[in-house]
């Protein structure tokens, strides 16, 4: 039997001992109050998150991949962050990858015993042919999930940079990684339900790492997503609005130049700001490693 008694994520929250007697408003208020602790806990690990962003940027610049590994809620959060990167930043789907214990089917239904496997993560990492260029980020609220422990151990021995994100201090996965990010959010409102505060903390940290890394490789100009994929009508409109915001041009001009740029928002912005054609803008961007701010100065 696994001893969970010492894990902060498994302790009882003294502020919600009467949870079953609370009114709906009292439940919402209690949860909202506890959620304030998440940002406070993350504030204490910002230097580690900054390092993770630097590593992520370096990895992507060197044509490596950011690979999340986790089980249950943690695994689903990794998958969620990974699948949102292509439409937001225009990167290939294999640049940020999520691996979950039990495979993609475990995203919608738990696979019994998968998180306790000491070999599955190794098999999953081998299946995607990891290389020393890749950054492996292990996620486990409790910090003790065998799937993640052995995945990080294998990745480290393979020569990859490794990061662990847990919500317990001196976690087992943290000991396996080169960098440990451990926000201590405290006991859950519902004892042991780490899909709550711990899950939110992990999601917030993944938001920072992936967004920060993408900013580092030039996927953002000012605070605009200039490499978004235009996969629906809303995103076509957003693309035009981004060009307008970045250049102060008219709607007609944005549409005209976006067409000339073959749908590339980034290219269209440089064309307008430098008053040049698509080929000249592409050369400028290439020399600037894809960064608009560098290209236009």
């Amino acid at each position: 039997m696994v001893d969970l008694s010492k894990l902060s994520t498994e302790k009882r929250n003294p502020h919600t001992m009467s949870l079953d007697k609370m009114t709906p408003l009292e439940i919402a208020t209690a949860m909202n109050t506890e959620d304030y602790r998440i940002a406070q806990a993350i504030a204490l690990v910002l230097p580690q998150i900054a390092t993770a962003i630097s590593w992520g940027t370096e990895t992507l610049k060197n044509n490596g991949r950011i690979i999340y590994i986790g089980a249950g809620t943690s695994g689903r959060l990794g998958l969620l962050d990974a699948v949102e990167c292509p439409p937001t930043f225009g990167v290939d789907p294999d640049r940020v990858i999520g691996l979950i214990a039990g495979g993609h089917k475990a995203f919608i239904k738990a696979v019994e015993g998968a998180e306790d496997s000491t070999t599955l993560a190794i098999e999953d990492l081998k299946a995607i042919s990891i290389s020393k260029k890749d950054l492996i980020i292990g996620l486990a609220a409790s910090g003790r999930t065998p799937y993640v422990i052995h995945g990080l151990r294998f990745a480290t021995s393979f020569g990859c940079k490794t990061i662990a994100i847990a919500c317990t201090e001196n976690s087992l996965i943290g000991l396996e990684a080169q960098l440990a990010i451990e926000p201590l959010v405290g006991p859950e409102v519902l004892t042991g339900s780490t899909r709550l505060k711990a899950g939110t903390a992990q999601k917030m940290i993944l938001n920072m790492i992936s967004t920060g890394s993408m900013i580092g490789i030039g996927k953002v100009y000012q605070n605009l997503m200039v490499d978004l994929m235009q996969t629906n009508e809303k995103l076509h409109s957003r693309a035009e609005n981004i060009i307008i915001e970045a250049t102060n041009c008219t709607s007609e001009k944005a549409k005209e130049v976006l067409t000339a740029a073959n749908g590339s928002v980034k290219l269209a912005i440089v064309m307008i700001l430098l008053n040049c054609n698509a080929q000249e803008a592409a050369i400028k961007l290439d020399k600037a490693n894809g960064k608009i701010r560098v290209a236009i100065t």
Side-chain angles (χ1 to χ4, degrees):
M1 181 70 71
V2 178
D3 181 13
L4 302 177
S5 62
K6 294 180 180 178
L7 299 177
S8 60
T9 52
E10 296 293 328
K11 294 184 182 299
R12 297 186 70 182
N13 191 318
H15 304 294
T16 60
M17 297 294 280
S18 300
L19 190 62
D20 60 331
K21 296 198 298 183
M22 291 182 182
T23 65
L25 179 57
E26 288 171 337
I27 292 170
T29 300
M31 294 183 75
N32 182 241
T33 300
E34 288 298 316
D35 284 347
Y36 274 104
R37 304 182 196 278
I38 301 170
Q40 294 171 338
I42 290 176
L44 299 177
V45 295
L46 290 178
Q48 293 93 316
I49 295 172
T51 297
I53 290 172
S54 296
W55 288 8
T57 299
E58 180 186 355
T59 295
L60 296 175
K61 281 182 177 178
N62 293 331
N63 293 316
R65 299 168 294 177
I66 296 174
I67 301 169
Y68 302 128
I69 58 173
T73 296
S74 298
R76 294 182 187 99
L77 290 169
L79 275 171
L80 179 63
D81 195 72
V83 300
E84 289 179 342
C85 284
T88 306
F89 300 108
V91 294
D92 291 334
D94 65 352
R95 298 305 304 280
V96 184
I97 298 172
L99 298 178
I100 183 171
H104 284 183
K105 61 185 177 182
F107 187 85
I108 55 174
K109 186 178 180 181
V111 176
E112 204 69 34
E115 72 171 60
D116 294 326
S117 172
T118 60
T119 58
L120 268 182
I122 298 171
E123 293 169 12
D124 290 344
L125 290 169
K126 286 181 177 178
I128 60 170
S129 302
I130 64 165
S131 78
K132 294 178 181 180
K133 292 181 178 181
D134 296 330
L135 171 63
I136 313 301
I137 301 178
L139 303 156
S142 68
R144 55 147 303 277
T145 306
Y147 177 86
V148 180
I149 290 172
H150 290 271
L152 287 171
R153 187 175 296 170
F154 172 73
T156 299
S157 69
F158 201 84
C160 302
K161 272 199 168 79
T162 53
I163 299 172
I165 302 175
C167 292
T168 54
E169 198 170 19
N170 300 318
S171 66
L172 293 180
I173 66 169
L175 296 176
E176 297 292 342
Q178 294 160 353
L179 174 67
I181 303 174
E182 298 174 339
L184 304 180
V185 298
E188 298 288 1
V189 168
L190 179 64
T191 306
S193 184
T194 52
R195 69 185 182 87
L196 301 177
K197 289 194 296 182
T200 300
Q202 290 176 90
K203 179 67 172 78
M204 290 171 71
I205 292 169
L206 294 183
N207 286 347
M208 294 177 187
I209 294 173
S210 58
T211 304
S213 299
M214 295 297 172
I215 292 169
I217 62 168
K219 297 295 182 179
V220 173
Y221 172 56
Q222 296 176 350
N223 61 352
L224 301 169
M225 55 176 94
V226 292
D227 264 327
L228 81 164
M229 293 174 65
Q230 299 164 58
T231 54
N232 58 43
E233 188 174 342
K234 179 191 76 172
L235 294 177
H236 280 296
S237 296
R238 180 178 290 168
E240 291 173 12
N241 289 335
I242 287 171
I243 295 169
I244 294 167
E245 288 286 340
T247 66
N248 291 317
C249 72
T250 64
S251 177
E252 291 72 21
K253 181 71 171 179
K255 290 177 181 178
E256 174 194 332
V257 179
L258 187 59
T259 300
N262 199 27
S264 170
V265 174
K266 180 183 284 185
L267 202 60
I269 291 171
V270 175
M271 288 168 66
I272 294 171
L273 293 179
L274 294 182
N275 192 27
C276 64
N277 62 36
Q279 184 177 6
E280 291 167 334
I283 292 170
K284 290 279 189 182
L285 274 171
D286 186 57
K287 288 181 178 178
N289 294 317
K291 295 185 176 182
I292 292 178
R293 192 177 292 275
V294 176
I296 64 175
T297 55

